[in-house]
């Protein structure tokens, strides 16, 4: 296979310098650390765990929504974008978190729910009483899909469009196409859409001024309606990018779009490969098992003990996106998130997760670690619905269980009685904890820590270095920057590969930097089951 080389930033687009070195850690606030024994994680609890994140090597933290909400959708139903929800603390607690994180070299990103609000937000209650207020999408009649149109709760007649749950009315950013049969559609430059774009800037500016490094943008692709090629949506984010570059040039947007080849050229700084757009991430680790849409299919993924997957689909998607981005931003790869099952799920055990982390932290993308994945926390099946986590075939609560800190009561998450916890602790007696793994140099936690340190120490392993794929089967073998060899075998069975002449000719023998179970002798590579190796040539 020919060399695949990541590109340098192009002229006209400015990237904050810190982004390329970002190791992002996602925290689901209600499940991370409870400081006041009410059973729900909070901001002071996160502040108290910053030393752990600094020790791990994390330099960027992304928090799921922590604003005022009725929590019908775990905080993605925002009722006040400028106020911290009391269950998490106060705005002053958040500012203390920012300062404590900054002192440890850690940036904090918030979650921006841009496409909808709670039905309790003052914007919506006003719009529901005032037919001239078009901050939301209103119609005098119901349209397809019928379940998305909800009767007005106020004096205004008609129906409003919901983005996800009925309690989440869609903000009006206009329609890309007009339709005479639907006269309620408004263009993107109508007063309502203009007011909402201004509101997004005001929200971001408020938190930027308090030290926030950026936002992960929820459903970033969904703002402009009936926009099949996303041209109008891209124009909106291009406008936001230009404003950020002018007013806050060291801040960044990380989007839930799932299509980097479209979103990054549009103006987003970093976008994920995600499951609901293509199969780029599902072909790596299928996090849909047990926690998301069954109709997405169940084709074998590469990082699974059965060893029936392939890297080819991921590589094709990555090359296409990398070429389209052309240095204007980055692709992010997550281990999991609050909507999908964890790396350890079903047949995928903790033994498989170390090779997955080796790939994640040596591939030219930005790594995003979901809290607890660094110790091998598993997706816990069979839990009750919590704050809208259960919808049809989506059972997301299994990925939202409390962080497992130690062997004390409630795994060190909270001093509350077990029946008051946000979600139950994983009942497995063999559940992993930070305390048990921290002093074990061979444990997953210390392997992840070492890989993060290697990425920082060796620029060839970061997003700017070239990558040459030598083998797409088992093991997966590639060169970074022409100077580092990476071998990853996530299947149960051992695997072998013969290096091509150019790679095998390097002398002396490659120096092992990290890993276990991989041996390189001359041109021959032998990889035990569930193994990985990072070598300096």
């Amino acid at each position: 296979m020919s060399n695949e080389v990541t590109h340098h930033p192009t002229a006209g687009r400015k990237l904050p310098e810190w982004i390329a070195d970002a190791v992002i850690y996602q925290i689901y606030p209600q499940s991370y650390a409870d400081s006041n024994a009410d059973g729900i994680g909070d901001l002071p609890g996160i502040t108290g765990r910053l030393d752990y994140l600094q020790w791990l090597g994390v330099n960027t933290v992304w928090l799921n929504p922590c604003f005022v909400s009725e929590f019908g959708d775990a905080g993605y139903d925002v009722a006040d974008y400028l106020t911290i929800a009391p269950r998490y603390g106060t705005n002053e607690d958040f500012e203390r978190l920012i300062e404590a994180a900054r002192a440890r070299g850690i940036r904090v990103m918030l979650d921006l729910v841009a496409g909808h609000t709670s039905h309790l937000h003052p914007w919506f209650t006003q719009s529901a009483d005032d037919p001239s207020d078009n901050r939301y999408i209103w119609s005098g009649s119901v349209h397809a899909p019928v379940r998305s149109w909800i009767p007005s709760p106020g004096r205004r007649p008609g129906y409003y469009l919901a983005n996800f749950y009925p309690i989440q009315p869609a903000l009006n950013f206009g329609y890309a196409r007009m339709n005479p049969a639907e006269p309620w559609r408004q263009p993107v430059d109508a007063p309502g859409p203009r007011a909402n774009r201004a509101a997004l800037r005001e929200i971001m500016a408020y938190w930027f001024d308090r030290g926030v490094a950026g936002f992960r943008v929820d459903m970033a692709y969904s703002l402009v309606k009936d926009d099949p090629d996303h041209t109008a949506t891209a124009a909106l984010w291009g406008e936001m990018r230009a404003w950020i570059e002018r007013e806050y040039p060291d801040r960044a947007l990380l989007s839930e779009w799932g299509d980097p080849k479209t979103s990054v050229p549009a103006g987003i700084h970093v976008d994920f490969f995600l499951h609901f757009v293509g199969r780029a991430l599902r072909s790596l680790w299928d996090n849909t098992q047990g926690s998301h849409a069954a109709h997405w299919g169940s084709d074998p993924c590469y990082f699974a003990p059965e060893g029936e997957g392939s890297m080819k689909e991921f590589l094709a998607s990555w090359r296409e996106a990398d070429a389209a981005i052309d240095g204007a931003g980055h692709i992010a790869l997550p281990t999991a998130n609050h909507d999908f099952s964890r790396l350890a799920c079903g047949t995928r055990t903790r033994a498989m997760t170390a090779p997955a982390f080796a790939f994640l932290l040596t591939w030219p993308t930005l790594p995003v670690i979901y809290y607890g994945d660094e110790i091998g926390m598993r997706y816990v099946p069979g839990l009750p619905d919590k704050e809208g986590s259960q919808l049809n075939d989506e059972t997301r609560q299994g990925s939202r269980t409390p962080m497992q800190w130690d062997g004390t009561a409630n795994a060190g998450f909270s001093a509350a009685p077990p029946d008051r916890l946000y979600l139950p602790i994983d009942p497995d007696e063999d559940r992993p904890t930070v305390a048990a793994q921290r002093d074990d140099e061979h444990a997953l936690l210390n392997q992840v820590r070492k890989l993060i340190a290697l990425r920082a120490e060796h620029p060839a392993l970061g997003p700017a270095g070239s990558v040459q794929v030598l083998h797409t089967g088992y093991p997966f073998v590639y060169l970074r920057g022409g100077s580092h060899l990476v071998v990853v075998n996530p299947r149960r069975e051992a695997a072998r590969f013969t290096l091509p002449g150019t790679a095998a000719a390097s002398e002396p023998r490659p120096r092992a930097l990290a890993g276990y179970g991989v041996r390189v002798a001359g041109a021959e590579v032998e990889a035990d089951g569930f193994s990985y190796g990072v070598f300096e040539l």
Side-chain angles (χ1 to χ4, degrees):
M1 182 177 292
S2 61
N3 289 6
E4 295 126 1
V5 181
T6 54
H7 303 290
H8 295 285
T10 54
R13 277 281 167 85
K14 300 175 182 178
L15 281 172
E17 293 182 1
W18 60 268
I19 290 181
D21 298 321
V23 176
I24 303 169
Y25 188 90
Q26 180 189 351
I27 291 178
Y28 193 65
Q30 48 268 62
S31 291
Y32 200 64
D34 172 20
S35 71
N36 61 0
D38 66 354
I40 300 175
D42 48 45
L43 296 182
I46 295 171
T47 302
R49 297 294 184 173
L50 289 175
D51 284 344
Y52 163 72
L53 296 177
Q54 182 184 29
W55 172 85
L56 182 60
V58 166
N59 56 26
T60 307
V61 167
W62 150 37
L63 305 180
N64 286 92
C66 48
F67 310 114
V68 168
S69 169
E70 66 175 323
F71 294 100
D73 185 21
Y76 281 92
D77 46 331
V78 179
D80 182 350
Y81 288 96
L82 305 184
T83 304
I84 296 296
R87 77 182 197 182
Y88 296 133
T90 64
N91 283 34
E92 290 73 24
D93 287 327
F94 181 77
E95 292 184 21
R96 282 190 283 270
L97 169 61
I98 289 282
E99 288 301 316
R102 181 183 293 118
R104 293 163 174 81
I106 298 173
R107 291 176 170 83
V108 177
M109 301 183 76
L110 289 176
D111 207 309
L112 177 64
V113 186
H116 55 260
T117 68
S118 165
H119 64 151
L120 301 180
H121 197 291
W123 297 344
F124 182 71
T125 56
Q126 175 179 326
S127 189
D129 284 339
D130 182 0
S132 69
D133 186 316
N134 290 307
R135 295 286 296 275
Y136 297 82
I137 300 173
W138 293 91
S139 172
S141 58
V142 172
H143 302 271
V146 174
R147 66 181 183 276
S148 297
W149 291 94
I150 313 300
S152 172
R155 294 190 297 271
R156 182 178 193 154
Y159 303 81
Y160 67 87
L161 180 67
N163 238 9
F164 192 59
Y165 287 111
I167 61 171
Q168 294 164 311
L171 284 163
N172 181 17
F173 289 94
Y175 279 73
R177 301 187 295 193
M178 299 297 100
N179 183 345
E182 298 180 352
W184 43 269
R185 293 189 179 206
Q186 295 188 342
V188 295
D189 60 351
R194 288 204 309 270
N196 285 332
R197 293 200 303 276
L200 286 185
R201 291 192 294 271
E202 291 169 5
I203 293 165
M204 287 191 283
Y206 179 87
W207 293 109
F208 284 158
D209 289 342
R210 283 153 183 79
V212 167
F215 288 90
R216 176 265 191 186
V217 185
D218 183 62
M219 296 176 64
Y221 56 88
S222 72
L223 270 59
V224 178
K225 306 302 182 185
D226 195 10
D227 186 18
D229 61 1
H230 292 105
T231 298
T233 305
L236 183 156
W237 289 114
E239 174 187 317
M240 295 296 168
R241 172 78 172 256
W243 169 76
I244 290 173
E245 287 184 354
R246 183 175 64 253
E247 302 294 334
Y248 299 94
D250 62 339
R251 309 305 206 274
L253 298 177
L254 168 66
S255 71
E256 184 198 30
W257 191 309
D259 185 19
K261 71 179 184 298
T262 301
S263 58
V264 175
I268 298 295
H269 296 84
V270 184
D271 186 24
F272 292 103
F273 272 144
L274 289 175
H275 298 80
F276 54 79
V277 178
R279 275 193 44 84
L281 189 60
R282 279 180 283 154
S283 67
L284 289 179
W285 36 83
D286 187 358
N287 296 86
T288 62
Q289 181 178 353
S291 67
H292 222 72
H295 67 268
W296 287 348
S298 56
D299 293 341
C301 57
Y302 185 81
F303 286 85
E306 296 82 4
E308 298 173 352
S310 171
M311 291 296 293
K312 292 182 179 179
E313 190 160 7
F314 167 79
L315 290 171
S317 297
W318 178 80
R319 286 197 301 269
E320 181 183 21
D322 186 62
I325 290 171
D326 194 27
H330 296 282
I331 301 167
L333 280 182
T335 58
N337 68 24
H338 57 290
D339 283 335
F340 304 107
S341 51
R342 292 182 177 275
L343 282 177
C345 178
T347 63
R348 300 194 311 270
T349 63
R350 290 201 298 274
M352 187 226 74
T353 58
F357 269 106
F359 168 73
L360 184 84
L361 290 162
T362 61
W363 192 254
T365 46
L366 298 190
V368 183
I369 301 169
Y370 187 48
Y371 81 98
D373 278 354
E374 74 274 17
I375 58 172
M377 281 178 59
R378 69 174 180 128
Y379 172 83
V380 181
L383 297 180
D385 175 47
K386 185 67 176 182
E387 298 183 347
S389 59
Q390 181 83 41
L391 178 67
N392 299 325
D393 55 0
E394 300 176 19
T395 51
R396 301 175 291 176
Q397 57 269 34
S399 293
R400 301 177 178 184
T401 55
M403 180 65 175
Q404 295 157 198
W405 293 104
D406 55 42
T408 63
N410 299 326
F413 161 69
S414 171
D419 62 355
R420 290 184 58 197
L421 299 184
Y422 176 78
L423 278 169
I425 297 290
D426 181 356
D428 190 344
E429 293 182 358
D430 190 37
R431 63 178 177 247
T433 67
V434 171
Q437 292 192 16
R438 189 158 180 169
D439 294 329
D440 179 357
E441 64 175 321
H442 302 294
L444 175 62
L445 176 61
N446 276 298
Q447 293 177 57
V448 173
R449 181 177 184 244
K450 185 170 185 177
L451 286 164
I452 292 174
L454 274 181
R455 183 181 178 92
E457 182 181 350
H458 298 265
L461 299 174
S466 64
V467 56
Q468 179 185 1
V469 175
L470 304 178
H471 190 233
T472 59
Y474 293 93
F476 184 45
V477 184
Y478 50 99
L479 282 174
R480 293 300 322 275
S483 58
H484 292 71
L485 178 72
V486 182
V487 179
V488 175
N489 183 31
R491 74 179 184 182
R492 185 178 295 108
E493 296 182 4
R496 295 172 177 266
F497 176 65
T498 301
L499 296 169
T502 54
S506 61
E507 291 293 343
R509 177 178 295 185
R511 180 170 70 97
L513 299 176
Y516 56 90
V518 174
R519 297 165 294 281
V520 180
E524 298 304 314
V525 175
E526 296 182 352
D528 296 342
F530 304 134
S531 66
Y532 73 92
V534 182
F535 302 87
E536 187 172 36
L537 301 180

PDB file of all heavy atoms in Angstrom, residues 173-186:
ATOM      1  N   PHE A 173     -32.846  27.426  12.748  1.00  0.00           N
ATOM      2  CA  PHE A 173     -31.709  27.973  12.005  1.00  0.00           C
ATOM      3  C   PHE A 173     -32.025  28.048  10.515  1.00  0.00           C
ATOM      4  O   PHE A 173     -31.140  28.208   9.691  1.00  0.00           O
ATOM      5  CB  PHE A 173     -30.460  27.113  12.236  1.00  0.00           C
ATOM      6  CG  PHE A 173     -29.904  27.249  13.629  1.00  0.00           C
ATOM      7  CD1 PHE A 173     -30.278  26.365  14.623  1.00  0.00           C
ATOM      8  CD2 PHE A 173     -29.044  28.285  13.949  1.00  0.00           C
ATOM      9  CE1 PHE A 173     -29.789  26.495  15.924  1.00  0.00           C
ATOM     10  CE2 PHE A 173     -28.554  28.423  15.239  1.00  0.00           C
ATOM     11  CZ  PHE A 173     -28.916  27.526  16.225  1.00  0.00           C
ATOM     12  N   GLY A 174     -33.313  27.922  10.184  1.00  0.00           N
ATOM     13  CA  GLY A 174     -33.759  28.046   8.814  1.00  0.00           C
ATOM     14  C   GLY A 174     -33.719  26.730   8.054  1.00  0.00           C
ATOM     15  O   GLY A 174     -33.233  25.707   8.537  1.00  0.00           O
ATOM     16  N   TYR A 175     -34.235  26.798   6.843  1.00  0.00           N
ATOM     17  CA  TYR A 175     -34.259  25.667   5.923  1.00  0.00           C
ATOM     18  C   TYR A 175     -33.402  25.992   4.708  1.00  0.00           C
ATOM     19  O   TYR A 175     -33.394  27.122   4.224  1.00  0.00           O
ATOM     20  CB  TYR A 175     -35.685  25.360   5.478  1.00  0.00           C
ATOM     21  CG  TYR A 175     -36.472  24.551   6.482  1.00  0.00           C
ATOM     22  CD1 TYR A 175     -36.929  25.133   7.670  1.00  0.00           C
ATOM     23  CD2 TYR A 175     -36.759  23.217   6.248  1.00  0.00           C
ATOM     24  CE1 TYR A 175     -37.646  24.390   8.599  1.00  0.00           C
ATOM     25  CE2 TYR A 175     -37.488  22.463   7.170  1.00  0.00           C
ATOM     26  CZ  TYR A 175     -37.923  23.057   8.336  1.00  0.00           C
ATOM     27  OH  TYR A 175     -38.625  22.317   9.244  1.00  0.00           O
ATOM     28  N   ALA A 176     -32.699  24.988   4.218  1.00  0.00           N
ATOM     29  CA  ALA A 176     -31.867  25.203   3.033  1.00  0.00           C
ATOM     30  C   ALA A 176     -32.717  25.317   1.775  1.00  0.00           C
ATOM     31  O   ALA A 176     -32.315  25.953   0.805  1.00  0.00           O
ATOM     32  CB  ALA A 176     -30.859  24.071   2.892  1.00  0.00           C
ATOM     33  N   ARG A 177     -33.894  24.681   1.797  1.00  0.00           N
ATOM     34  CA  ARG A 177     -34.774  24.694   0.621  1.00  0.00           C
ATOM     35  C   ARG A 177     -36.184  25.104   1.043  1.00  0.00           C
ATOM     36  O   ARG A 177     -36.686  24.643   2.050  1.00  0.00           O
ATOM     37  CB  ARG A 177     -34.806  23.311  -0.033  1.00  0.00           C
ATOM     38  CG  ARG A 177     -33.435  22.825  -0.468  1.00  0.00           C
ATOM     39  CD  ARG A 177     -33.501  21.525  -1.263  1.00  0.00           C
ATOM     40  NE  ARG A 177     -33.986  20.397  -0.494  1.00  0.00           N
ATOM     41  CZ  ARG A 177     -33.895  19.128  -0.905  1.00  0.00           C
ATOM     42  NH1 ARG A 177     -33.338  18.862  -2.085  1.00  0.00           N
ATOM     43  NH2 ARG A 177     -34.358  18.146  -0.157  1.00  0.00           N
ATOM     44  N   MET A 178     -36.775  25.972   0.262  1.00  0.00           N
ATOM     45  CA  MET A 178     -38.153  26.361   0.495  1.00  0.00           C
ATOM     46  C   MET A 178     -39.089  25.359  -0.184  1.00  0.00           C
ATOM     47  O   MET A 178     -38.705  24.673  -1.129  1.00  0.00           O
ATOM     48  CB  MET A 178     -38.421  27.768  -0.032  1.00  0.00           C
ATOM     49  CG  MET A 178     -37.568  28.856   0.638  1.00  0.00           C
ATOM     50  SD  MET A 178     -37.867  29.039   2.426  1.00  0.00           S
ATOM     51  CE  MET A 178     -36.466  28.136   3.097  1.00  0.00           C
ATOM     52  N   ASN A 179     -40.331  25.297   0.319  1.00  0.00           N
ATOM     53  CA  ASN A 179     -41.334  24.380  -0.219  1.00  0.00           C
ATOM     54  C   ASN A 179     -42.686  25.059  -0.124  1.00  0.00           C
ATOM     55  O   ASN A 179     -43.169  25.321   0.980  1.00  0.00           O
ATOM     56  CB  ASN A 179     -41.326  23.072   0.570  1.00  0.00           C
ATOM     57  CG  ASN A 179     -42.288  22.040   0.016  1.00  0.00           C
ATOM     58  OD1 ASN A 179     -43.169  22.358  -0.782  1.00  0.00           O
ATOM     59  ND2 ASN A 179     -42.126  20.793   0.454  1.00  0.00           N
ATOM     60  N   PRO A 180     -43.319  25.381  -1.263  1.00  0.00           N
ATOM     61  CA  PRO A 180     -44.605  26.083  -1.218  1.00  0.00           C
ATOM     62  C   PRO A 180     -45.662  25.339  -0.404  1.00  0.00           C
ATOM     63  O   PRO A 180     -46.567  25.964   0.151  1.00  0.00           O
ATOM     64  CB  PRO A 180     -45.007  26.161  -2.697  1.00  0.00           C
ATOM     65  CG  PRO A 180     -43.719  26.058  -3.442  1.00  0.00           C
ATOM     66  CD  PRO A 180     -42.843  25.145  -2.632  1.00  0.00           C
ATOM     67  N   ALA A 181     -45.553  24.022  -0.315  1.00  0.00           N
ATOM     68  CA  ALA A 181     -46.528  23.244   0.446  1.00  0.00           C
ATOM     69  C   ALA A 181     -46.309  23.380   1.945  1.00  0.00           C
ATOM     70  O   ALA A 181     -47.157  22.967   2.733  1.00  0.00           O
ATOM     71  CB  ALA A 181     -46.456  21.773   0.037  1.00  0.00           C
ATOM     72  N   GLU A 182     -45.171  23.948   2.334  1.00  0.00           N
ATOM     73  CA  GLU A 182     -44.844  24.124   3.748  1.00  0.00           C
ATOM     74  C   GLU A 182     -44.414  25.576   3.971  1.00  0.00           C
ATOM     75  O   GLU A 182     -43.232  25.879   4.151  1.00  0.00           O
ATOM     76  CB  GLU A 182     -43.749  23.151   4.176  1.00  0.00           C
ATOM     77  CG  GLU A 182     -44.164  21.686   4.025  1.00  0.00           C
ATOM     78  CD  GLU A 182     -43.076  20.711   4.443  1.00  0.00           C
ATOM     79  OE1 GLU A 182     -41.930  21.158   4.706  1.00  0.00           O
ATOM     80  OE2 GLU A 182     -43.361  19.506   4.510  1.00  0.00           O
ATOM     81  N   PRO A 183     -45.371  26.490   3.950  1.00  0.00           N
ATOM     82  CA  PRO A 183     -45.039  27.926   4.013  1.00  0.00           C
ATOM     83  C   PRO A 183     -44.399  28.362   5.324  1.00  0.00           C
ATOM     84  O   PRO A 183     -43.890  29.481   5.412  1.00  0.00           O
ATOM     85  CB  PRO A 183     -46.410  28.601   3.808  1.00  0.00           C
ATOM     86  CG  PRO A 183     -47.400  27.568   4.248  1.00  0.00           C
ATOM     87  CD  PRO A 183     -46.810  26.253   3.865  1.00  0.00           C
ATOM     88  N   TRP A 184     -44.433  27.507   6.342  1.00  0.00           N
ATOM     89  CA  TRP A 184     -43.831  27.856   7.620  1.00  0.00           C
ATOM     90  C   TRP A 184     -42.310  27.763   7.585  1.00  0.00           C
ATOM     91  O   TRP A 184     -41.639  28.203   8.510  1.00  0.00           O
ATOM     92  CB  TRP A 184     -44.374  26.952   8.724  1.00  0.00           C
ATOM     93  CG  TRP A 184     -44.466  25.511   8.325  1.00  0.00           C
ATOM     94  CD1 TRP A 184     -45.540  24.888   7.767  1.00  0.00           C
ATOM     95  CD2 TRP A 184     -43.441  24.533   8.425  1.00  0.00           C
ATOM     96  NE1 TRP A 184     -45.248  23.568   7.508  1.00  0.00           N
ATOM     97  CE2 TRP A 184     -43.962  23.326   7.911  1.00  0.00           C
ATOM     98  CE3 TRP A 184     -42.134  24.543   8.901  1.00  0.00           C
ATOM     99  CZ2 TRP A 184     -43.230  22.144   7.849  1.00  0.00           C
ATOM    100  CZ3 TRP A 184     -41.398  23.378   8.847  1.00  0.00           C
ATOM    101  CH2 TRP A 184     -41.944  22.197   8.326  1.00  0.00           C
ATOM    102  N   ARG A 185     -41.755  27.152   6.533  1.00  0.00           N
ATOM    103  CA  ARG A 185     -40.289  27.113   6.416  1.00  0.00           C
ATOM    104  C   ARG A 185     -39.750  28.532   6.265  1.00  0.00           C
ATOM    105  O   ARG A 185     -40.329  29.361   5.553  1.00  0.00           O
ATOM    106  CB  ARG A 185     -39.862  26.303   5.205  1.00  0.00           C
ATOM    107  CG  ARG A 185     -40.167  24.831   5.267  1.00  0.00           C
ATOM    108  CD  ARG A 185     -39.499  24.094   4.124  1.00  0.00           C
ATOM    109  NE  ARG A 185     -39.753  22.658   4.169  1.00  0.00           N
ATOM    110  CZ  ARG A 185     -38.941  21.733   3.640  1.00  0.00           C
ATOM    111  NH1 ARG A 185     -37.818  22.123   3.034  1.00  0.00           N
ATOM    112  NH2 ARG A 185     -39.239  20.464   3.715  1.00  0.00           N
ATOM    113  N   GLN A 186     -38.616  28.795   6.909  1.00  0.00           N
ATOM    114  CA  GLN A 186     -37.984  30.105   6.806  1.00  0.00           C
ATOM    115  C   GLN A 186     -36.560  29.955   6.270  1.00  0.00           C
ATOM    116  O   GLN A 186     -35.889  28.953   6.542  1.00  0.00           O
ATOM    117  CB  GLN A 186     -37.954  30.793   8.169  1.00  0.00           C
ATOM    118  CG  GLN A 186     -39.314  31.124   8.718  1.00  0.00           C
ATOM    119  CD  GLN A 186     -39.228  31.976   9.971  1.00  0.00           C
ATOM    120  OE1 GLN A 186     -38.198  32.062  10.626  1.00  0.00           O
ATOM    121  NE2 GLN A 186     -40.330  32.623  10.315  1.00  0.00           N
TER     122      GLN A 186
END
